[in-house]
Every structure is written in C-alpha cells, then in structure tokens.
Amino acid sequence: MTTRRTLLAGIGATPLAAPAYAQGRRDRVTIAWLPIMQTLAFYVAQEERLFERAGIEVEAARFQAPNQIIDSLVANRAEVGAPGAAAGISVLAEVQFPGTFKAFGLQGGGIRVNRINDGLIVANNSPITSFADLRGKSLGHLPGIQWRTISRHMVRRAGLNPDGDVRLVEMAVGLQVQAVIAGSVDATLSLEPVGSIAVALGEAKRAMTNPVAGVIADPFYSGVSLLTTKFMRERPAVARRVVEVLDEATLIAETQYERIRAILPRYTAVQAAQVPIVAQPYLRAWKDLNETDLNSYQALVDVFASEGVLRAPFQLRDFILKPSDLGA
C-alpha cells in the first residue's frame, strides 16, 4: 500500500456543459479488473461498446490477485475498480486511507437466489466433503488478505484451528484447478469460474457449493465496483457516466446471460466448450442496491472485525456511493 492519502472533497451541483464526447472526443478512464465471473458486467460493457457510446475510452488493467486492484486504485494508477474488486480489501484500504473509495455495485451469489459464487473444490477421488474434513490438509485460496480471512473464518466455523489444523496456500485463479488435480493442495476455496471449469474437466468437483453464503450471509457478496474519490472530485460527469454504463451492463448480464455468456473465453480461463456449463453470477447494480444487499456486505465486514483484521467495527453505509457524490 502506498502512503498516499486521498480525502473526500465535496462535489458541487454545478450544471454540466454539453458533453465533450458529443463533439467526438472521448474521456480516458483506467479500469482495473480481475478475470472472474463477478466481473461479467465489465465484459458486457466492453463487448457491447457501452463505454464507447458514453464517450469513454477504457484503458483496461488486468490483474491476477484482488489486492493488486485495490493497490492500483490507492496509488492512483487506476480510477475504477471493475465489478469483482475485493469487497473486504476495499474496506481495509478505506480504513487505512479514509475517503479513498466509494462502492457502487455488488457481485456474488447465494443459495436462495440459486447463483454460484464460490465452491470448495476437490479432486474427484477426494474424501473431503466439507471444511470439517480439512484437518491436516491444505486449502488453496486467492492471494491477499480478503480470501485468507474468509478461509480462516470458514475453517474456524467448521471447528478447526486455522493456525494449526489446516495449511492455507495462496494461489492465483488460473492455478487453482490444476493444483487440485495434481494434488498440490487438497482443496481450494474458489470463485467462479473455477468450479465450473473443474466440473467441465471431469477430474475435479465441487464438494460444497456456495459454502460462504451458508456461513456468512445469503446472498454473499465478495465483489464490489469502486470509484476513487479523486476521480469523482476531478471528473464527476465522467464518473457518473461510468456508473451508468456499468449499471446498464449489469442489467444486460442479469437478464440476457444466455446470449452474452459466449464472451467469457475472451476474458476468463473458460474455454469455448465450457461456456454452456459456467454458472451465472448474481450481480447488483448501484441503482438497485437494497437493505438485504447492504446487510450482506456488512456481514462480510463484520467477519474481518471478528477475525482481528479490522481493529474496530466499520459501518459501511457511508462507504456506498450516493448521488451527491457525483454532483447530482
């Protein structure tokens, strides 16, 4: 993390001039993203040319670990965290550097909504059926404090000691399925599309589907969409258009998944033959966020407090984007 500290400045309700892009000029925005299913709305916005239509030229910065996205935003190397940015790490960064971000969308899955977000992935011949079976074994998870904290919490809730009973191993999304198949780890707690790819290969399986939703909150959101407050302060009209584009793309991803799922191989490790079986994520646009969504996000934040990662409780309502933040 950089030592830079960005304080939230007020955004006035100044009337906007005629958009520059109406005259053919586009506003350049750097968007950091992770190749997971939670990022689907960003893929849709790119493929459907929604950014282009809104007068935005996107510089897409792809990362392989959630903490790298947050670091890029804190360091002002990116202005937007695409859907799928780490929900927990963003709060930790906000606590360290108050006023750095605003969250404007949530991504995940849940049992009641029948959308897969995560799974406990094991080899086909593995006897592991739950976290309680991990005593003396290894569990892979995404790099960074978010999924390490969630993994520790899941292990602890299964009655095991995460500091002695289970060996936790950080590994990038693209390495997880092969690590399970090769026996490098006994199991992984993985985000989609890892579970779908594992099933498609026929050598691994989901021992549990949506285990985190069963323990922390249902639905469960581990991904958020983020704006830096520096971006909102300096270019509120452009930031507003980014939010509008991603809200529109979220609606398309939610209602037209069968049509748009074919784009997945261009952005994720999903192969063309695997597209028909990849699980649909549960995506929430900024304009549609409700109390259930916010309570679910708060439940994840509370896990960080209970695991000692946050030194004090964090109330996230002020962390969620408000119209006034964009000069509306």
Side-chain angles (χ1 to χ4, degrees), residues 236-251:
V238 181
R240 187 182 307 119
R241 298 206 309 270
V242 168
V243 173
E244 290 170 351
V245 163
L246 287 173
D247 266 11
E248 180 182 355
T250 296
L251 177 62

Side-chain angles (χ1 to χ4, degrees), residues 33-52:
W33 65 284
L34 196 68
I36 56 176
M37 288 301 295
Q38 292 180 356
T39 315
L40 182 59
F42 176 66
Y43 312 152
V44 170
Q46 291 280 74
E47 292 291 317
E48 303 278 301
R49 302 176 69 177
L50 301 183
F51 287 115
E52 181 179 335

Side-chain angles (χ1 to χ4, degrees), residues 53-124:
R53 281 166 29 199
I56 297 169
E57 179 183 349
V58 171
E59 180 180 346
R62 174 173 171 161
F63 294 99
Q64 289 295 329
N67 58 298
Q68 294 172 337
I69 290 181
I70 305 304
D71 287 346
S72 73
L73 295 169
V74 171
N76 289 323
R77 295 191 302 271
E79 294 141 317
V80 180
I89 299 177
S90 64
V91 167
L92 296 178
E94 178 68 13
V95 169
Q96 186 173 359
F97 304 110
T100 299
F101 314 109
K102 289 291 183 176
F104 65 94
L106 293 171
Q107 304 85 38
I111 299 165
R112 288 192 292 270
V113 296
N114 196 30
R115 302 283 183 85
I116 301 177
N117 179 68
D118 50 81
L120 182 63
I121 311 302
V122 301
N124 277 346

Side-chain angles (χ1 to χ4, degrees), residues 44-46 96 98 112 117 149 158 205 207 217 226 259 266-267 312-313:
V44 170
Q46 291 280 74
Q96 186 173 359
R112 288 192 292 270
N117 179 68
T149 300
K205 61 185 179 181
L226 295 170
R259 177 179 72 85
R266 290 197 280 278
Y267 297 91

